[in-house]
Amino acid sequence: MTDMRKTALVIGASRALGLGLAAELLRRGWDVIGTVRGSGRTGLHDLADASGGRLTVEQLEMTDPGQTAALRDVLAGRTLDLLFVNAAITRGDLPIGEVPTDMFTEVMVTNALSPMRVVDVLGPLVAPTGTIGVMSSDQGSISLNSHGGQDLYRASKSALNQLMRCHAARHAADTRTLLLMDPGWVRTELGGPEAELSVEESVPGVAETIERHRGKPGLHFVDHLGNVVPW
C-alpha cells in the first residue's frame, strides 16, 4: 500500500500561529518539518517529541540567505506538498514619518523580502500539485485601510502581497497553488491581547483553507474562513 501522507514545511513554527499550524497539520495526518530560530528549546521541540517521528525540527534564521540555501541542501531530494512561511515582526504603531530608517529596513526585510527569498529558494521542492503559502494580513489590503495606523506593518504586508503577485505573474504557467493567508486578528505577541481570536480558533480554519485550495493554481488572497480578501 502506498503511503499517501502529505508533507509540509512550516517556516517560523516555534510559537503562536506557526506552532499551532504545525500541530493542526499533524492532527490532520500530515508529516511536518518546522523551523525555529537559534538553538534554544521551543514548544516545537516538545511537539516533535510527542509526534512519533512525524515532526522534525530544523534551524533557520529566515533573514540570512545562507541559512535558507543550507536548508534547501538539507531537504534536497524531499518533495513537499506545502511550503508555508509564517514569520513576521512589528515594531510598534508609529506614523511613517517617525519610523527610523533602520526600523523600516528591518521590518521590510523580515516581512516582505525574506519570505519571498524563501519562496524562491525552497519553492522548487514543492510538488507540481502542491501549495506555497505566506502569512499575510488584511492590514496588507489597500482597499480595506480606512482607519490607518500600524503604517510600517501595513506597508510590509502590502509589499509582501505585491511581491507574491509578481511571483505569480513571473510563473504564470506554474500549476502550484499560491496563497496569501489572513489568519484573522489573533491574540499573539504581534496581534495583542485585545484581538478577537485565539490561536486555537484561527488555526483550524487556516489549515482547512489550505486544504480546500489544493489543486487550484494561481494566487489567492483569503482569510482563515476561506473568504476572499480584497486587495
Side-chain angles (χ1 to χ4, degrees), residues 171-182:
H171 301 279
D174 196 340
T175 56
R176 297 173 182 86
T177 301
L178 301 176
L179 292 179
L180 288 161
M181 178 65 65
D182 167 27

Side-chain angles (χ1 to χ4, degrees), residues 142-207:
I142 293 174
S143 62
L144 290 180
N145 184 6
S146 59
H147 300 291
Q150 295 291 340
D151 298 11
L152 178 53
Y153 181 75
R154 286 180 185 274
S156 71
K157 289 300 186 179
S158 294
L160 176 65
N161 293 353
Q162 184 69 272
L163 292 171
M164 276 292 282
R165 291 199 82 160
C166 291
H167 177 89
R170 186 175 296 112
H171 301 279
D174 196 340
T175 56
R176 297 173 182 86
T177 301
L178 301 176
L179 292 179
L180 288 161
M181 178 65 65
D182 167 27
W185 187 20
V186 186
R187 290 189 294 275
T188 63
E189 183 179 339
L190 193 150
E194 303 302 318
E196 298 170 346
L197 300 171
S198 67
V199 170
E200 293 75 18
E201 291 169 326
S202 169
V203 160
V206 170

Side-chain angles (χ1 to χ4, degrees), residues 49-73:
D49 288 348
S51 72
R54 292 176 47 225
L55 169 61
T56 57
V57 181
E58 299 289 348
Q59 188 173 328
L60 176 67
E61 171 50 70
M62 185 180 67
T63 61
D64 182 343
Q67 289 193 27
T68 304
L71 180 59
R72 176 196 59 205
D73 293 342

Side-chain angles (χ1 to χ4, degrees), residues 180-182 209 213 220-230:
L180 288 161
M181 178 65 65
D182 167 27
T209 299
H213 281 78
H220 311 268
F221 188 11
V222 289
D223 68 14
H224 70 293
L225 300 177
N227 300 313
V228 174
V229 181

Side-chain angles (χ1 to χ4, degrees), residues 33-110:
I33 307 159
T35 73
V36 299
R37 298 172 61 199
S39 57
R41 188 170 181 86
T42 71
L44 189 68
H45 294 88
D46 297 334
L47 187 62
D49 288 348
S51 72
R54 292 176 47 225
L55 169 61
T56 57
V57 181
E58 299 289 348
Q59 188 173 328
L60 176 67
E61 171 50 70
M62 185 180 67
T63 61
D64 182 343
Q67 289 193 27
T68 304
L71 180 59
R72 176 196 59 205
D73 293 342
V74 167
L75 299 178
R78 300 286 297 271
T79 299
L80 304 173
D81 298 284
L82 171 66
L83 166 63
F84 195 89
V85 186
N86 175 61
I89 61 171
T90 184
R91 288 292 181 258
D93 187 8
L94 293 175
I96 195 63
E98 298 177 13
V99 173
T101 300
D102 58 349
M103 182 187 293
F104 183 90
T105 301
E106 179 193 21
V107 172
M108 283 293 185
V109 168
T110 302

Side-chain angles (χ1 to χ4, degrees), residues 17-28:
L17 284 166
L19 178 59
L21 180 59
E24 179 66 18
L25 291 173
L26 285 173
R27 190 186 70 79
R28 290 169 177 254

